[in-house]
Amino acid sequence: MAQLLLMEPFRAVFYTPYYVALDRGLFAAHGADIRIETAGTPDAAAARLLDGSADLAWSGPMRPMLERSRNDASPLRSFGAAIMRDPFLLMGMGARPGFAMAELASMRVAIPSEVPTPWWCLQQDLRDAGVDPAAMPGIRFMPMGEGAKALLAGEVDAVLLFEPFASALEEQGAALWYAAASRGPTAYSALYAITPRIAEKEAAFRGAVAALGEALDWIAASTPETIAELLAPRFADTKPAHLLAAVRRYKSLGLWEGTTRLPEAALDRLAVSMIGAGAMSHHPGYAACIDSRFD
């Protein structure tokens, strides 16, 4: 059995397919003896791949795409899609039926400072609604926990964050205004590695992708209660009610539906968002960023 060091960028409920594959022994069943470490940030996880101290990681396909846009010799490649919808949620105090994206133009909005992708994607949603994000005076960047507190204190009108922050806020009177998953396919999380390690450990990586596919099938066939029970040990600091609500929401939004093949449309949508936000100058192309041998 091949031994692999897998880097987790940070702990998050939307990463459920990876935890299912780990905790149900699916990786091991497919010949991959995986040891997991938490890097702390996506940048730190990528660094461990590039310096050769880790075998693979999971993260947004934005990482290989960004690196390839800057250096066409970058060895990073994504494969094994797990989450092809955006898990971020826009919350405000009280229900807002018929919410329109253009309403944000005059609001104070807390944007997560931990990772760039949700803001890149929301900016494109705003542009699609005819709003220039650069002209919005109320954008404030802060960690998600601080954003949640700012909303409750009336210091901002809306906050963008992921679960279980959203479910915890709902308990205190907040409401969901917009689920970014509803925009459609957006390449959000997949396995990735450097090309020399993919060639060296192709059989083990192929097993890891097969395990991830079985995890997605298991999630599709399982109730939110069953999924939350499996996740509970990894989220010991999260209230069980919030964890269950988070799983229910993400399952209902179709966050974990699909196969391990990364759809080209999902990558293209992410590329449009990144280019519009000024994160990269051009789309390197699907073949340059995605290793499709595991499809």
Side-chain angles (χ1 to χ4, degrees):
M1 184 178 294
Q3 295 185 334
L4 301 175
L5 176 57
L6 171 64
M7 302 307 299
E8 170 193 41
F10 53 85
R11 188 63 45 88
V13 175
F14 72 86
Y15 287 143
T16 286
Y18 304 110
Y19 304 135
V20 169
L22 285 161
D23 295 340
R24 287 185 57 80
L26 302 179
F27 286 131
H30 284 275
D33 179 14
I34 286 186
R35 178 167 60 90
I36 184 173
E37 288 186 12
T38 303
T41 68
D43 287 344
R48 294 290 298 276
L49 297 181
L50 290 167
D51 70 16
S53 63
D55 296 298
L56 74 166
W58 70 69
S59 190
M62 55 75 71
R63 185 67 48 184
M65 194 157 44
L66 190 61
E67 294 298 323
R68 288 284 292 189
S69 73
R70 296 169 175 171
N71 172 17
D72 59 13
S74 171
L76 292 174
R77 298 290 186 280
S78 288
F79 55 92
I83 299 121
M84 292 294 110
R85 287 183 182 266
D86 188 332
F88 278 78
L89 306 156
L90 187 72
M91 309 290 293
M93 294 306 297
R96 203 174 186 95
F99 170 78
M101 189 61 58
E103 296 176 49
L104 291 182
S106 59
M107 291 186 182
R108 300 165 298 168
V109 186
I111 301 296
S113 59
E114 295 95 330
V115 288
T117 311
W119 175 228
W120 292 340
C121 292
L122 186 66
Q123 285 182 79
Q124 189 59 44
D125 293 337
L126 288 161
R127 284 189 289 272
D128 290 345
V131 177
D132 179 4
M136 293 172 61
I139 297 299
R140 304 181 183 183
F141 296 93
M142 61 186 76
M144 284 179 280
E146 291 183 18
K149 291 177 183 177
L151 180 69
L152 294 173
E155 296 168 358
V156 297
D157 304 304
V159 59
L160 185 68
L161 34 63
F162 59 46
E163 290 285 12
F165 289 106
S167 291
L169 276 174
E170 279 183 325
E171 195 172 72
Q172 300 178 77
L176 174 65
W177 288 0
Y178 170 67
S182 66
R183 86 166 65 94
T186 304
Y188 225 87
S189 187
L191 295 171
Y192 75 126
I194 59 173
T195 49
R197 196 63 60 90
I198 295 172
E200 176 190 351
K201 301 194 174 184
E202 180 178 344
F205 284 6
R206 193 173 297 280
V209 173
L212 193 55
E214 286 191 16
L216 290 168
D217 290 343
W218 182 85
I219 291 169
S222 299
T223 64
E225 288 79 7
T226 300
I227 298 167
E229 182 179 1
L230 180 142
L231 294 175
R234 293 189 181 273
F235 294 90
D237 294 334
T238 300
K239 287 184 178 180
H242 295 167
L243 182 59
L244 177 57
V247 171
R248 279 180 176 150
R249 190 191 318 272
Y250 280 155
K251 203 168 190 298
S252 70
L253 288 172
L255 206 70
W256 304 312
E257 293 177 0
T259 70
T260 55
R261 185 187 184 281
L262 201 154
E264 191 163 351
L267 191 72
D268 289 348
R269 173 65 193 202
L270 180 58
V272 167
S273 300
M274 293 171 68
I275 293 168
M280 64 182 186
S281 62
H282 67 284
H283 184 358
Y286 188 90
C289 304
I290 308 302
D291 193 320
S292 59
R293 79 182 74 186
F294 303 108
D295 290 353

